[in-house]
Amino acid sequence: MFFSGCGGGGESTTHISGNIADGYLIGAKVCADANNDKVCQDSELQTTLGAKGAFTLLADAANNPIIAEVTTSTIDEDTDAVVVNAHVLSAPKGKTFI
């Protein structure tokens, strides 16, 4: 798990970073699943996967499972093709690699 501090004016914000691979995925929605329903709700911390399946979320996400909503518009970086079947990937609380 990677933690980094940043901010200005005496404030500090901590982030967690990780990777999601089913082959590395690009463009899937990733969130801290605060209510454990395996769906990224608008109220939950979320981002989109970048190159090599990388993501960064605020550290509050470390208190929740991390999920990735893989859709048919998500790219499998290994094959450079879109994912054929939508699915959800998850990691337990405190883990950042799926």
Side-chain angles (χ1 to χ4, degrees):
M1 188 178 316
F2 171 80
F3 291 94
S4 68
C6 49
E11 296 180 17
S12 178
T13 304
T14 305
H15 298 80
I16 62 169
S17 296
N19 297 82
I20 299 185
D22 183 14
Y24 285 120
L25 300 173
I26 301 172
K29 185 186 298 184
V30 179
C31 70
D33 191 16
N35 63 359
N36 293 307
D37 67 350
K38 303 268 191 259
V39 175
C40 292
Q41 305 292 333
D42 289 340
S43 61
E44 295 172 325
L45 299 170
Q46 57 186 273
T47 190
T48 302
L49 289 176
K52 302 282 186 210
F55 70 90
T56 300
L57 290 168
L58 291 173
D60 291 345
N63 298 321
N64 299 293
I66 302 295
I67 67 165
E69 293 180 339
V70 180
T71 67
T72 55
S73 62
T74 301
I75 304 292
D76 182 328
E77 196 169 9
D78 292 345
T79 62
D80 202 31
V82 294
V83 173
V84 176
N85 296 310
H87 56 284
V88 174
L89 299 170
S90 64
K93 177 178 153 180
K95 303 296 181 188
T96 60
F97 185 83
I98 300 176

